[in-house]
Amino acid sequence: MCGIIGYIGKKSAVPILLEGLRRLEYRGYDSAGVAVLDETGLLVRKRKGKIDEGLARALQPEPPAGQVGIGHTRWATHGPPSDGNSHPHLDQSGKIAVVHNGVIENYDRLKDKLIKLGHTFQSETDTEVLAHLIGEHFKKHRGKNSSVNPLALAVADALREVIGTYGIAV
């Protein structure tokens, strides 16, 4: 079990995400992390351990200033608790972040397919595989003239390949 949260608004995302994660910590206390979008790009901070002992301390010196973000508190299912296995996970480009609650049953087959396409992985999680899969589909949709957001199309395409039960934020 894990906890996921997202925020889009006019306030700084980090304090809102942290408070939400504290309220969800009972759903997972192995690690926690956030990804925040600001004018420079996507900033990810994640740490093993309880929120106030790990993530909150990591954010204190320089909290990302964006007003859009996602967060996650983890109870490990794939890969042991570690900074590297903490969520959010990024796609191959580093421009798409994913948090996930659940299990991707066919992640090993999907990972093999992505490795053959040149992807490299930084963690042992099924979630990073999902992030890379979404990124691979995003490359196909980016720049095409469509009334639907290319990220939404990429997520939908990726989830058609996934077997499992899950909740995600991208």
Side-chain angles (χ1 to χ4, degrees):
M1 187 171 13
C2 301
I4 59 176
I5 185 169
Y7 175 75
I8 299 173
K10 296 183 181 192
K11 297 179 181 180
S12 177
V14 167
I16 294 165
L17 294 172
L18 270 177
E19 180 56 29
L21 290 174
R22 285 184 181 108
R23 292 178 186 208
L24 293 170
E25 191 167 30
Y26 73 95
R27 293 185 60 90
Y29 42 82
D30 291 338
S31 61
V34 297
V36 176
L37 184 63
D38 71 7
E39 65 277 349
T40 64
L42 192 59
L43 303 168
V44 176
R45 303 284 186 275
K46 54 188 186 173
R47 291 290 182 275
K48 177 183 171 186
K50 294 189 177 214
I51 293 164
D52 287 330
E53 297 164 5
L55 178 62
R57 287 184 183 170
L59 288 168
Q60 199 168 27
E62 290 185 55
Q67 299 169 325
V68 175
I70 57 176
H72 186 271
T73 183
R74 181 171 189 248
W75 181 60
T77 56
H78 287 94
S82 69
D83 288 352
N85 286 336
S86 302
H87 297 207
H89 287 287
L90 300 175
D91 75 318
Q92 184 76 13
S93 74
K95 295 181 179 180
I96 297 172
V98 175
V99 293
H100 162 242
N101 175 28
V103 176
I104 307 298
E105 295 172 19
N106 61 333
Y107 83 100
D108 48 352
R109 192 189 67 194
L110 295 169
K111 185 174 185 177
D112 289 343
K113 171 186 157 182
L114 292 163
I115 288 171
K116 287 176 184 169
L117 293 173
H119 289 250
T120 57
F121 293 86
Q122 309 302 314
S123 78
E124 302 169 65
T125 69
D126 54 345
T127 305
E128 186 183 10
V129 173
L130 179 58
H132 281 245
L133 186 62
I134 291 169
E136 192 64 28
H137 284 286
F138 183 74
K139 288 191 310 188
K140 297 174 192 172
H141 292 292
R142 183 183 53 212
K144 288 186 177 178
N145 191 6
S146 172
S147 62
V148 181
N149 181 293
L151 183 57
L153 292 170
V155 170
D157 287 351
L159 293 180
R160 284 187 196 91
E161 294 187 55
V162 169
I163 298 170
T165 55
Y166 47 82
I168 64 171
V170 181

mmCIF file with all atom_site columns, all heavy atoms in Angstrom, residues 38-64:
data_model
loop_
_atom_site.group_PDB
_atom_site.id
_atom_site.type_symbol
_atom_site.label_atom_id
_atom_site.label_alt_id
_atom_site.label_comp_id
_atom_site.label_asym_id
_atom_site.label_entity_id
_atom_site.label_seq_id
_atom_site.pdbx_PDB_ins_code
_atom_site.Cartn_x
_atom_site.Cartn_y
_atom_site.Cartn_z
_atom_site.occupancy
_atom_site.B_iso_or_equiv
_atom_site.pdbx_formal_charge
_atom_site.auth_seq_id
_atom_site.auth_comp_id
_atom_site.auth_asym_id
_atom_site.auth_atom_id
_atom_site.pdbx_PDB_model_num
ATOM 1   N N   . ASP A 1 38 ? 8.551  23.576 -12.046 1.00 0.00 ? 38 ASP A N   1
ATOM 2   C CA  . ASP A 1 38 ? 8.683  25.030 -11.970 1.00 0.00 ? 38 ASP A CA  1
ATOM 3   C C   . ASP A 1 38 ? 9.205  25.550 -13.301 1.00 0.00 ? 38 ASP A C   1
ATOM 4   O O   . ASP A 1 38 ? 9.279  24.791 -14.275 1.00 0.00 ? 38 ASP A O   1
ATOM 5   C CB  . ASP A 1 38 ? 9.547  25.465 -10.779 1.00 0.00 ? 38 ASP A CB  1
ATOM 6   C CG  . ASP A 1 38 ? 11.026 25.150 -10.939 1.00 0.00 ? 38 ASP A CG  1
ATOM 7   O OD1 . ASP A 1 38 ? 11.460 24.702 -12.024 1.00 0.00 ? 38 ASP A OD1 1
ATOM 8   O OD2 . ASP A 1 38 ? 11.779 25.356 -9.967  1.00 0.00 ? 38 ASP A OD2 1
ATOM 9   N N   . GLU A 1 39 ? 9.590  26.808 -13.364 1.00 0.00 ? 39 GLU A N   1
ATOM 10  C CA  . GLU A 1 39 ? 9.990  27.406 -14.637 1.00 0.00 ? 39 GLU A CA  1
ATOM 11  C C   . GLU A 1 39 ? 11.274 26.796 -15.198 1.00 0.00 ? 39 GLU A C   1
ATOM 12  O O   . GLU A 1 39 ? 11.547 26.917 -16.388 1.00 0.00 ? 39 GLU A O   1
ATOM 13  C CB  . GLU A 1 39 ? 10.138 28.936 -14.513 1.00 0.00 ? 39 GLU A CB  1
ATOM 14  C CG  . GLU A 1 39 ? 11.240 29.400 -13.586 1.00 0.00 ? 39 GLU A CG  1
ATOM 15  C CD  . GLU A 1 39 ? 10.862 29.431 -12.113 1.00 0.00 ? 39 GLU A CD  1
ATOM 16  O OE1 . GLU A 1 39 ? 9.666  29.289 -11.787 1.00 0.00 ? 39 GLU A OE1 1
ATOM 17  O OE2 . GLU A 1 39 ? 11.768 29.601 -11.286 1.00 0.00 ? 39 GLU A OE2 1
ATOM 18  N N   . THR A 1 40 ? 12.060 26.108 -14.377 1.00 0.00 ? 40 THR A N   1
ATOM 19  C CA  . THR A 1 40 ? 13.299 25.491 -14.859 1.00 0.00 ? 40 THR A CA  1
ATOM 20  C C   . THR A 1 40 ? 13.094 24.041 -15.291 1.00 0.00 ? 40 THR A C   1
ATOM 21  O O   . THR A 1 40 ? 13.960 23.474 -15.957 1.00 0.00 ? 40 THR A O   1
ATOM 22  C CB  . THR A 1 40 ? 14.400 25.526 -13.783 1.00 0.00 ? 40 THR A CB  1
ATOM 23  O OG1 . THR A 1 40 ? 13.991 24.732 -12.668 1.00 0.00 ? 40 THR A OG1 1
ATOM 24  C CG2 . THR A 1 40 ? 14.682 26.945 -13.333 1.00 0.00 ? 40 THR A CG2 1
ATOM 25  N N   . GLY A 1 41 ? 11.989 23.439 -14.907 1.00 0.00 ? 41 GLY A N   1
ATOM 26  C CA  . GLY A 1 41 ? 11.735 22.046 -15.258 1.00 0.00 ? 41 GLY A CA  1
ATOM 27  C C   . GLY A 1 41 ? 11.201 21.256 -14.088 1.00 0.00 ? 41 GLY A C   1
ATOM 28  O O   . GLY A 1 41 ? 10.604 21.809 -13.158 1.00 0.00 ? 41 GLY A O   1
ATOM 29  N N   . LEU A 1 42 ? 11.445 19.973 -14.108 1.00 0.00 ? 42 LEU A N   1
ATOM 30  C CA  . LEU A 1 42 ? 10.942 19.045 -13.113 1.00 0.00 ? 42 LEU A CA  1
ATOM 31  C C   . LEU A 1 42 ? 12.014 18.799 -12.056 1.00 0.00 ? 42 LEU A C   1
ATOM 32  O O   . LEU A 1 42 ? 13.139 18.394 -12.384 1.00 0.00 ? 42 LEU A O   1
ATOM 33  C CB  . LEU A 1 42 ? 10.576 17.734 -13.811 1.00 0.00 ? 42 LEU A CB  1
ATOM 34  C CG  . LEU A 1 42 ? 9.782  16.698 -13.067 1.00 0.00 ? 42 LEU A CG  1
ATOM 35  C CD1 . LEU A 1 42 ? 8.433  17.255 -12.600 1.00 0.00 ? 42 LEU A CD1 1
ATOM 36  C CD2 . LEU A 1 42 ? 9.543  15.496 -13.968 1.00 0.00 ? 42 LEU A CD2 1
ATOM 37  N N   . LEU A 1 43 ? 11.677 19.064 -10.804 1.00 0.00 ? 43 LEU A N   1
ATOM 38  C CA  . LEU A 1 43 ? 12.614 18.857 -9.701  1.00 0.00 ? 43 LEU A CA  1
ATOM 39  C C   . LEU A 1 43 ? 12.098 17.727 -8.824  1.00 0.00 ? 43 LEU A C   1
ATOM 40  O O   . LEU A 1 43 ? 10.951 17.762 -8.371  1.00 0.00 ? 43 LEU A O   1
ATOM 41  C CB  . LEU A 1 43 ? 12.753 20.138 -8.884  1.00 0.00 ? 43 LEU A CB  1
ATOM 42  C CG  . LEU A 1 43 ? 13.212 21.356 -9.688  1.00 0.00 ? 43 LEU A CG  1
ATOM 43  C CD1 . LEU A 1 43 ? 13.037 22.625 -8.881  1.00 0.00 ? 43 LEU A CD1 1
ATOM 44  C CD2 . LEU A 1 43 ? 14.649 21.188 -10.108 1.00 0.00 ? 43 LEU A CD2 1
ATOM 45  N N   . VAL A 1 44 ? 12.930 16.731 -8.580  1.00 0.00 ? 44 VAL A N   1
ATOM 46  C CA  . VAL A 1 44 ? 12.543 15.560 -7.800  1.00 0.00 ? 44 VAL A CA  1
ATOM 47  C C   . VAL A 1 44 ? 13.396 15.494 -6.542  1.00 0.00 ? 44 VAL A C   1
ATOM 48  O O   . VAL A 1 44 ? 14.624 15.637 -6.611  1.00 0.00 ? 44 VAL A O   1
ATOM 49  C CB  . VAL A 1 44 ? 12.710 14.261 -8.611  1.00 0.00 ? 44 VAL A CB  1
ATOM 50  C CG1 . VAL A 1 44 ? 12.401 13.039 -7.769  1.00 0.00 ? 44 VAL A CG1 1
ATOM 51  C CG2 . VAL A 1 44 ? 11.829 14.285 -9.850  1.00 0.00 ? 44 VAL A CG2 1
ATOM 52  N N   . ARG A 1 45 ? 12.745 15.267 -5.423  1.00 0.00 ? 45 ARG A N   1
ATOM 53  C CA  . ARG A 1 45 ? 13.425 15.013 -4.150  1.00 0.00 ? 45 ARG A CA  1
ATOM 54  C C   . ARG A 1 45 ? 12.753 13.800 -3.533  1.00 0.00 ? 45 ARG A C   1
ATOM 55  O O   . ARG A 1 45 ? 11.525 13.751 -3.419  1.00 0.00 ? 45 ARG A O   1
ATOM 56  C CB  . ARG A 1 45 ? 13.299 16.191 -3.186  1.00 0.00 ? 45 ARG A CB  1
ATOM 57  C CG  . ARG A 1 45 ? 13.819 17.505 -3.722  1.00 0.00 ? 45 ARG A CG  1
ATOM 58  C CD  . ARG A 1 45 ? 15.341 17.562 -3.717  1.00 0.00 ? 45 ARG A CD  1
ATOM 59  N NE  . ARG A 1 45 ? 15.791 18.880 -4.098  1.00 0.00 ? 45 ARG A NE  1
ATOM 60  C CZ  . ARG A 1 45 ? 15.955 19.310 -5.342  1.00 0.00 ? 45 ARG A CZ  1
ATOM 61  N NH1 . ARG A 1 45 ? 15.658 18.528 -6.343  1.00 0.00 ? 45 ARG A NH1 1
ATOM 62  N NH2 . ARG A 1 45 ? 16.395 20.523 -5.589  1.00 0.00 ? 45 ARG A NH2 1
ATOM 63  N N   . LYS A 1 46 ? 13.554 12.806 -3.108  1.00 0.00 ? 46 LYS A N   1
ATOM 64  C CA  . LYS A 1 46 ? 13.003 11.605 -2.503  1.00 0.00 ? 46 LYS A CA  1
ATOM 65  C C   . LYS A 1 46 ? 14.024 11.007 -1.557  1.00 0.00 ? 46 LYS A C   1
ATOM 66  O O   . LYS A 1 46 ? 15.226 11.098 -1.807  1.00 0.00 ? 46 LYS A O   1
ATOM 67  C CB  . LYS A 1 46 ? 12.557 10.615 -3.568  1.00 0.00 ? 46 LYS A CB  1
ATOM 68  C CG  . LYS A 1 46 ? 13.613 10.230 -4.594  1.00 0.00 ? 46 LYS A CG  1
ATOM 69  C CD  . LYS A 1 46 ? 13.001 9.407  -5.699  1.00 0.00 ? 46 LYS A CD  1
ATOM 70  C CE  . LYS A 1 46 ? 14.045 8.885  -6.669  1.00 0.00 ? 46 LYS A CE  1
ATOM 71  N NZ  . LYS A 1 46 ? 13.461 7.953  -7.623  1.00 0.00 ? 46 LYS A NZ  1
ATOM 72  N N   . ARG A 1 47 ? 13.515 10.418 -0.477  1.00 0.00 ? 47 ARG A N   1
ATOM 73  C CA  . ARG A 1 47 ? 14.402 9.854  0.532   1.00 0.00 ? 47 ARG A CA  1
ATOM 74  C C   . ARG A 1 47 ? 13.768 8.641  1.205   1.00 0.00 ? 47 ARG A C   1
ATOM 75  O O   . ARG A 1 47 ? 12.566 8.601  1.434   1.00 0.00 ? 47 ARG A O   1
ATOM 76  C CB  . ARG A 1 47 ? 14.716 10.871 1.632   1.00 0.00 ? 47 ARG A CB  1
ATOM 77  C CG  . ARG A 1 47 ? 15.569 12.035 1.205   1.00 0.00 ? 47 ARG A CG  1
ATOM 78  C CD  . ARG A 1 47 ? 17.002 11.594 0.912   1.00 0.00 ? 47 ARG A CD  1
ATOM 79  N NE  . ARG A 1 47 ? 17.835 12.711 0.556   1.00 0.00 ? 47 ARG A NE  1
ATOM 80  C CZ  . ARG A 1 47 ? 17.952 13.225 -0.666  1.00 0.00 ? 47 ARG A CZ  1
ATOM 81  N NH1 . ARG A 1 47 ? 17.260 12.736 -1.660  1.00 0.00 ? 47 ARG A NH1 1
ATOM 82  N NH2 . ARG A 1 47 ? 18.759 14.231 -0.907  1.00 0.00 ? 47 ARG A NH2 1
ATOM 83  N N   . LYS A 1 48 ? 14.641 7.705  1.553   1.00 0.00 ? 48 LYS A N   1
ATOM 84  C CA  . LYS A 1 48 ? 14.254 6.558  2.360   1.00 0.00 ? 48 LYS A CA  1
ATOM 85  C C   . LYS A 1 48 ? 13.923 7.049  3.772   1.00 0.00 ? 48 LYS A C   1
ATOM 86  O O   . LYS A 1 48 ? 14.494 8.023  4.237   1.00 0.00 ? 48 LYS A O   1
ATOM 87  C CB  . LYS A 1 48 ? 15.421 5.565  2.411   1.00 0.00 ? 48 LYS A CB  1
ATOM 88  C CG  . LYS A 1 48 ? 15.178 4.366  3.277   1.00 0.00 ? 48 LYS A CG  1
ATOM 89  C CD  . LYS A 1 48 ? 16.416 3.488  3.326   1.00 0.00 ? 48 LYS A CD  1
ATOM 90  C CE  . LYS A 1 48 ? 16.240 2.412  4.372   1.00 0.00 ? 48 LYS A CE  1
ATOM 91  N NZ  . LYS A 1 48 ? 17.453 1.627  4.554   1.00 0.00 ? 48 LYS A NZ  1
ATOM 92  N N   . GLY A 1 49 ? 13.011 6.370  4.426   1.00 0.00 ? 49 GLY A N   1
ATOM 93  C CA  . GLY A 1 49 ? 12.680 6.680  5.813   1.00 0.00 ? 49 GLY A CA  1
ATOM 94  C C   . GLY A 1 49 ? 11.386 7.453  5.949   1.00 0.00 ? 49 GLY A C   1
ATOM 95  O O   . GLY A 1 49 ? 10.726 7.776  4.965   1.00 0.00 ? 49 GLY A O   1
ATOM 96  N N   . LYS A 1 50 ? 11.049 7.732  7.176   1.00 0.00 ? 50 LYS A N   1
ATOM 97  C CA  . LYS A 1 50 ? 9.832  8.492  7.463   1.00 0.00 ? 50 LYS A CA  1
ATOM 98  C C   . LYS A 1 50 ? 9.973  9.920  6.929   1.00 0.00 ? 50 LYS A C   1
ATOM 99  O O   . LYS A 1 50 ? 11.083 10.439 6.788   1.00 0.00 ? 50 LYS A O   1
ATOM 100 C CB  . LYS A 1 50 ? 9.554  8.485  8.960   1.00 0.00 ? 50 LYS A CB  1
ATOM 101 C CG  . LYS A 1 50 ? 9.227  7.092  9.452   1.00 0.00 ? 50 LYS A CG  1
ATOM 102 C CD  . LYS A 1 50 ? 8.735  7.110  10.868  1.00 0.00 ? 50 LYS A CD  1
ATOM 103 C CE  . LYS A 1 50 ? 8.374  5.692  11.244  1.00 0.00 ? 50 LYS A CE  1
ATOM 104 N NZ  . LYS A 1 50 ? 7.261  5.616  12.138  1.00 0.00 ? 50 LYS A NZ  1
ATOM 105 N N   . ILE A 1 51 ? 8.855  10.538 6.656   1.00 0.00 ? 51 ILE A N   1
ATOM 106 C CA  . ILE A 1 51 ? 8.834  11.839 5.987   1.00 0.00 ? 51 ILE A CA  1
ATOM 107 C C   . ILE A 1 51 ? 9.661  12.889 6.712   1.00 0.00 ? 51 ILE A C   1
ATOM 108 O O   . ILE A 1 51 ? 10.517 13.544 6.108   1.00 0.00 ? 51 ILE A O   1
ATOM 109 C CB  . ILE A 1 51 ? 7.377  12.317 5.795   1.00 0.00 ? 51 ILE A CB  1
ATOM 110 C CG1 . ILE A 1 51 ? 6.675  11.387 4.807   1.00 0.00 ? 51 ILE A CG1 1
ATOM 111 C CG2 . ILE A 1 51 ? 7.336  13.762 5.317   1.00 0.00 ? 51 ILE A CG2 1
ATOM 112 C CD1 . ILE A 1 51 ? 5.180  11.500 4.815   1.00 0.00 ? 51 ILE A CD1 1
ATOM 113 N N   . ASP A 1 52 ? 9.435  13.060 8.005   1.00 0.00 ? 52 ASP A N   1
ATOM 114 C CA  . ASP A 1 52 ? 10.127 14.129 8.724   1.00 0.00 ? 52 ASP A CA  1
ATOM 115 C C   . ASP A 1 52 ? 11.605 13.842 8.937   1.00 0.00 ? 52 ASP A C   1
ATOM 116 O O   . ASP A 1 52 ? 12.394 14.762 9.135   1.00 0.00 ? 52 ASP A O   1
ATOM 117 C CB  . ASP A 1 52 ? 9.423  14.430 10.042  1.00 0.00 ? 52 ASP A CB  1
ATOM 118 C CG  . ASP A 1 52 ? 8.109  15.163 9.814   1.00 0.00 ? 52 ASP A CG  1
ATOM 119 O OD1 . ASP A 1 52 ? 8.009  15.911 8.826   1.00 0.00 ? 52 ASP A OD1 1
ATOM 120 O OD2 . ASP A 1 52 ? 7.170  14.976 10.615  1.00 0.00 ? 52 ASP A OD2 1
ATOM 121 N N   . GLU A 1 53 ? 11.997 12.567 8.861   1.00 0.00 ? 53 GLU A N   1
ATOM 122 C CA  . GLU A 1 53 ? 13.406 12.208 9.027   1.00 0.00 ? 53 GLU A CA  1
ATOM 123 C C   . GLU A 1 53 ? 14.170 12.235 7.706   1.00 0.00 ? 53 GLU A C   1
ATOM 124 O O   . GLU A 1 53 ? 15.393 12.373 7.701   1.00 0.00 ? 53 GLU A O   1
ATOM 125 C CB  . GLU A 1 53 ? 13.518 10.810 9.644   1.00 0.00 ? 53 GLU A CB  1
ATOM 126 C CG  . GLU A 1 53 ? 12.917 10.719 11.032  1.00 0.00 ? 53 GLU A CG  1
ATOM 127 C CD  . GLU A 1 53 ? 12.674 9.276  11.464  1.00 0.00 ? 53 GLU A CD  1
ATOM 128 O OE1 . GLU A 1 53 ? 13.055 8.342  10.736  1.00 0.00 ? 53 GLU A OE1 1
ATOM 129 O OE2 . GLU A 1 53 ? 12.083 9.099  12.535  1.00 0.00 ? 53 GLU A OE2 1
ATOM 130 N N   . GLY A 1 54 ? 13.477 12.090 6.599   1.00 0.00 ? 54 GLY A N   1
ATOM 131 C CA  . GLY A 1 54 ? 14.144 12.006 5.306   1.00 0.00 ? 54 GLY A CA  1
ATOM 132 C C   . GLY A 1 54 ? 13.766 13.122 4.351   1.00 0.00 ? 54 GLY A C   1
ATOM 133 O O   . GLY A 1 54 ? 14.514 14.070 4.145   1.00 0.00 ? 54 GLY A O   1
ATOM 134 N N   . LEU A 1 55 ? 12.578 13.008 3.760   1.00 0.00 ? 55 LEU A N   1
ATOM 135 C CA  . LEU A 1 55 ? 12.156 13.943 2.719   1.00 0.00 ? 55 LEU A CA  1
ATOM 136 C C   . LEU A 1 55 ? 12.092 15.388 3.212   1.00 0.00 ? 55 LEU A C   1
ATOM 137 O O   . LEU A 1 55 ? 12.608 16.291 2.544   1.00 0.00 ? 55 LEU A O   1
ATOM 138 C CB  . LEU A 1 55 ? 10.799 13.528 2.138   1.00 0.00 ? 55 LEU A CB  1
ATOM 139 C CG  . LEU A 1 55 ? 10.236 14.456 1.069   1.00 0.00 ? 55 LEU A CG  1
ATOM 140 C CD1 . LEU A 1 55 ? 11.153 14.505 -0.145  1.00 0.00 ? 55 LEU A CD1 1
ATOM 141 C CD2 . LEU A 1 55 ? 8.835  14.028 0.681   1.00 0.00 ? 55 LEU A CD2 1
ATOM 142 N N   . ALA A 1 56 ? 11.461 15.627 4.339   1.00 0.00 ? 56 ALA A N   1
ATOM 143 C CA  . ALA A 1 56 ? 11.312 17.005 4.834   1.00 0.00 ? 56 ALA A CA  1
ATOM 144 C C   . ALA A 1 56 ? 12.673 17.655 5.037   1.00 0.00 ? 56 ALA A C   1
ATOM 145 O O   . ALA A 1 56 ? 12.872 18.823 4.688   1.00 0.00 ? 56 ALA A O   1
ATOM 146 C CB  . ALA A 1 56 ? 10.501 17.030 6.119   1.00 0.00 ? 56 ALA A CB  1
ATOM 147 N N   . ARG A 1 57 ? 13.632 16.900 5.562   1.00 0.00 ? 57 ARG A N   1
ATOM 148 C CA  . ARG A 1 57 ? 14.990 17.432 5.752   1.00 0.00 ? 57 ARG A CA  1
ATOM 149 C C   . ARG A 1 57 ? 15.676 17.706 4.417   1.00 0.00 ? 57 ARG A C   1
ATOM 150 O O   . ARG A 1 57 ? 16.413 18.675 4.279   1.00 0.00 ? 57 ARG A O   1
ATOM 151 C CB  . ARG A 1 57 ? 15.821 16.474 6.592   1.00 0.00 ? 57 ARG A CB  1
ATOM 152 C CG  . ARG A 1 57 ? 15.420 16.471 8.044   1.00 0.00 ? 57 ARG A CG  1
ATOM 153 C CD  . ARG A 1 57 ? 16.323 15.586 8.852   1.00 0.00 ? 57 ARG A CD  1
ATOM 154 N NE  . ARG A 1 57 ? 15.865 15.553 10.240  1.00 0.00 ? 57 ARG A NE  1
ATOM 155 C CZ  . ARG A 1 57 ? 16.331 14.732 11.142  1.00 0.00 ? 57 ARG A CZ  1
ATOM 156 N NH1 . ARG A 1 57 ? 17.278 13.866 10.826  1.00 0.00 ? 57 ARG A NH1 1
ATOM 157 N NH2 . ARG A 1 57 ? 15.863 14.765 12.380  1.00 0.00 ? 57 ARG A NH2 1
ATOM 158 N N   . ALA A 1 58 ? 15.440 16.837 3.435   1.00 0.00 ? 58 ALA A N   1
ATOM 159 C CA  . ALA A 1 58 ? 16.048 17.028 2.120   1.00 0.00 ? 58 ALA A CA  1
ATOM 160 C C   . ALA A 1 58 ? 15.480 18.256 1.411   1.00 0.00 ? 58 ALA A C   1
ATOM 161 O O   . ALA A 1 58 ? 16.172 18.892 0.613   1.00 0.00 ? 58 ALA A O   1
ATOM 162 C CB  . ALA A 1 58 ? 15.834 15.787 1.260   1.00 0.00 ? 58 ALA A CB  1
ATOM 163 N N   . LEU A 1 59 ? 14.235 18.588 1.683   1.00 0.00 ? 59 LEU A N   1
ATOM 164 C CA  . LEU A 1 59 ? 13.592 19.740 1.044   1.00 0.00 ? 59 LEU A CA  1
ATOM 165 C C   . LEU A 1 59 ? 13.916 21.057 1.734   1.00 0.00 ? 59 LEU A C   1
ATOM 166 O O   . LEU A 1 59 ? 13.817 22.122 1.122   1.00 0.00 ? 59 LEU A O   1
ATOM 167 C CB  . LEU A 1 59 ? 12.075 19.543 1.035   1.00 0.00 ? 59 LEU A CB  1
ATOM 168 C CG  . LEU A 1 59 ? 11.543 18.496 0.072   1.00 0.00 ? 59 LEU A CG  1
ATOM 169 C CD1 . LEU A 1 59 ? 10.089 18.194 0.371   1.00 0.00 ? 59 LEU A CD1 1
ATOM 170 C CD2 . LEU A 1 59 ? 11.719 18.957 -1.354  1.00 0.00 ? 59 LEU A CD2 1
ATOM 171 N N   . GLN A 1 60 ? 14.285 21.003 2.989   1.00 0.00 ? 60 GLN A N   1
ATOM 172 C CA  . GLN A 1 60 ? 14.457 22.214 3.791   1.00 0.00 ? 60 GLN A CA  1
ATOM 173 C C   . GLN A 1 60 ? 15.450 23.218 3.218   1.00 0.00 ? 60 GLN A C   1
ATOM 174 O O   . GLN A 1 60 ? 15.132 24.405 3.115   1.00 0.00 ? 60 GLN A O   1
ATOM 175 C CB  . GLN A 1 60 ? 14.845 21.826 5.213   1.00 0.00 ? 60 GLN A CB  1
ATOM 176 C CG  . GLN A 1 60 ? 14.612 22.909 6.227   1.00 0.00 ? 60 GLN A CG  1
ATOM 177 C CD  . GLN A 1 60 ? 14.742 22.373 7.637   1.00 0.00 ? 60 GLN A CD  1
ATOM 178 O OE1 . GLN A 1 60 ? 15.455 21.404 7.882   1.00 0.00 ? 60 GLN A OE1 1
ATOM 179 N NE2 . GLN A 1 60 ? 14.052 23.009 8.560   1.00 0.00 ? 60 GLN A NE2 1
ATOM 180 N N   . PRO A 1 61 ? 16.648 22.812 2.789   1.00 0.00 ? 61 PRO A N   1
ATOM 181 C CA  . PRO A 1 61 ? 17.607 23.829 2.315   1.00 0.00 ? 61 PRO A CA  1
ATOM 182 C C   . PRO A 1 61 ? 17.155 24.580 1.067   1.00 0.00 ? 61 PRO A C   1
ATOM 183 O O   . PRO A 1 61 ? 17.335 25.786 0.981   1.00 0.00 ? 61 PRO A O   1
ATOM 184 C CB  . PRO A 1 61 ? 18.874 23.035 2.016   1.00 0.00 ? 61 PRO A CB  1
ATOM 185 C CG  . PRO A 1 61 ? 18.694 21.704 2.643   1.00 0.00 ? 61 PRO A CG  1
ATOM 186 C CD  . PRO A 1 61 ? 17.222 21.484 2.808   1.00 0.00 ? 61 PRO A CD  1
ATOM 187 N N   . GLU A 1 62 ? 16.602 23.884 0.100   1.00 0.00 ? 62 GLU A N   1
ATOM 188 C CA  . GLU A 1 62 ? 16.169 24.502 -1.153  1.00 0.00 ? 62 GLU A CA  1
ATOM 189 C C   . GLU A 1 62 ? 14.894 23.833 -1.655  1.00 0.00 ? 62 GLU A C   1
ATOM 190 O O   . GLU A 1 62 ? 14.940 23.015 -2.573  1.00 0.00 ? 62 GLU A O   1
ATOM 191 C CB  . GLU A 1 62 ? 17.254 24.371 -2.221  1.00 0.00 ? 62 GLU A CB  1
ATOM 192 C CG  . GLU A 1 62 ? 18.478 25.215 -1.975  1.00 0.00 ? 62 GLU A CG  1
ATOM 193 C CD  . GLU A 1 62 ? 19.439 25.126 -3.137  1.00 0.00 ? 62 GLU A CD  1
ATOM 194 O OE1 . GLU A 1 62 ? 19.020 25.400 -4.272  1.00 0.00 ? 62 GLU A OE1 1
ATOM 195 O OE2 . GLU A 1 62 ? 20.603 24.771 -2.899  1.00 0.00 ? 62 GLU A OE2 1
ATOM 196 N N   . PRO A 1 63 ? 13.738 24.193 -1.107  1.00 0.00 ? 63 PRO A N   1
ATOM 197 C CA  . PRO A 1 63 ? 12.503 23.568 -1.596  1.00 0.00 ? 63 PRO A CA  1
ATOM 198 C C   . PRO A 1 63 ? 12.166 24.052 -3.009  1.00 0.00 ? 63 PRO A C   1
ATOM 199 O O   . PRO A 1 63 ? 12.317 25.236 -3.313  1.00 0.00 ? 63 PRO A O   1
ATOM 200 C CB  . PRO A 1 63 ? 11.439 24.027 -0.601  1.00 0.00 ? 63 PRO A CB  1
ATOM 201 C CG  . PRO A 1 63 ? 12.003 25.229 0.068   1.00 0.00 ? 63 PRO A CG  1
ATOM 202 C CD  . PRO A 1 63 ? 13.493 25.123 -0.018  1.00 0.00 ? 63 PRO A CD  1
ATOM 203 N N   . PRO A 1 64 ? 11.774 23.127 -3.895  1.00 0.00 ? 64 PRO A N   1
ATOM 204 C CA  . PRO A 1 64 ? 11.341 23.550 -5.231  1.00 0.00 ? 64 PRO A CA  1
ATOM 205 C C   . PRO A 1 64 ? 10.195 24.556 -5.119  1.00 0.00 ? 64 PRO A C   1
ATOM 206 O O   . PRO A 1 64 ? 9.327  24.434 -4.254  1.00 0.00 ? 64 PRO A O   1
ATOM 207 C CB  . PRO A 1 64 ? 10.870 22.251 -5.879  1.00 0.00 ? 64 PRO A CB  1
ATOM 208 C CG  . PRO A 1 64 ? 11.564 21.169 -5.117  1.00 0.00 ? 64 PRO A CG  1
ATOM 209 C CD  . PRO A 1 64 ? 11.699 21.687 -3.726  1.00 0.00 ? 64 PRO A CD  1
#
